[in-house]
Amino acid sequence: YEDYPKVAATIISKDPGNWYDTFMINKGSDDGIRVDNNVIAGKGLVGIVTEVGSSWATVRSIIDDSSSVSAMTVSTSDNCIVSGDLELMNEGYIRVSGISKDAGIKDGDMLLTSYISDKYLPGILIGYITNITDDGNKLTKSGYLMPVVDFSQIEEVLVITQLKETVEDDTA
């Protein structure tokens, strides 16, 4: 993700529990961080900045129950929604839904943030889809996502300081 400007930050606190679903970092507005900045670690997407102070920021990760990310497959560009689920995360997965019944998505496909997302920058790796099944309505499919980030052990993150709306303005 070398095209995006980034600021390195250290996690200074997190909500109780086993997972880094919401946490605080040691960088804030003085470092160029703003609400809705995307946060990455290791090989992929961690989450999004939800609150900012001068020297701190709060991050909501993609595994949080209130998180939802527009995603697409690398192989077919089919769209879907990745939704956080802390209970399911105990098994190493989060939910994927809204896959068209005609989509060519298959187990093992890589999911990236999609171009249609209003807050997430496009092309950031989220994880790999598995266990795809037809929904009861016969119009959509669902599955699970194995995130590429280990949400049980995060110490440092990179905050992309460019907002999605700024990227769209630059390309227009």
Side-chain angles (χ1 to χ4, degrees):
Y1 311 110
E2 60 273 348
D3 293 346
Y4 297 129
K6 295 173 280 306
V7 171
T10 302
I11 295 174
I12 54 175
S13 71
K14 74 177 195 70
D15 280 356
N18 296 333
W19 305 108
Y20 284 82
D21 52 322
T22 55
F23 55 87
M24 191 175 288
I25 57 175
N26 67 343
K27 299 288 173 84
S29 58
D30 290 350
D31 305 289
I33 294 175
R34 296 179 282 176
V35 169
D36 292 338
N37 282 149
N38 293 196
V39 180
I40 59 176
K43 297 179 183 170
L45 183 66
V46 170
I48 197 161
V49 173
T50 57
E51 192 177 356
V52 179
S54 60
S55 61
W56 59 270
T58 301
V59 176
R60 182 184 66 229
S61 74
I62 62 169
I63 66 169
D64 187 76
D65 291 336
S66 62
S67 178
S68 183
V69 181
S70 295
M72 68 178 185
T73 61
V74 172
S75 59
T76 63
S77 295
D78 287 311
N79 291 304
C80 56
I81 303 294
V82 174
S83 303
D85 187 325
L86 287 174
E87 273 191 47
L88 192 56
M89 193 62 213
N90 288 324
E91 298 172 34
Y93 302 108
I94 53 179
R95 297 192 185 284
V96 178
S97 61
I99 304 168
S100 167
K101 69 176 174 73
D102 300 323
I105 296 177
K106 60 187 182 317
D107 281 3
D109 277 355
M110 186 184 301
L111 292 184
L112 307 176
T113 52
S114 78
Y115 293 90
I116 62 171
S117 173
D118 59 340
K119 295 186 187 286
Y120 289 97
L121 296 162
I124 300 172
L125 179 60
I126 306 171
Y128 299 89
I129 194 166
T130 187
N131 298 332
I132 301 168
T133 57
D134 290 330
D135 292 338
N137 63 17
K138 302 293 184 208
L139 299 174
T140 56
K141 300 183 221 178
S142 298
Y144 299 113
L145 177 100
M146 295 181 296
V148 293
V149 173
D150 180 356
F151 287 96
S152 66
Q153 298 181 0
I154 305 173
E155 294 177 8
E156 297 177 327
V157 295
L158 293 173
V159 180
I160 299 173
T161 56
Q162 188 170 5
L163 293 172
K164 172 75 184 272
E165 62 198 34
T166 310
V167 171
E168 289 172 346
D169 291 345
D170 291 349
T171 59

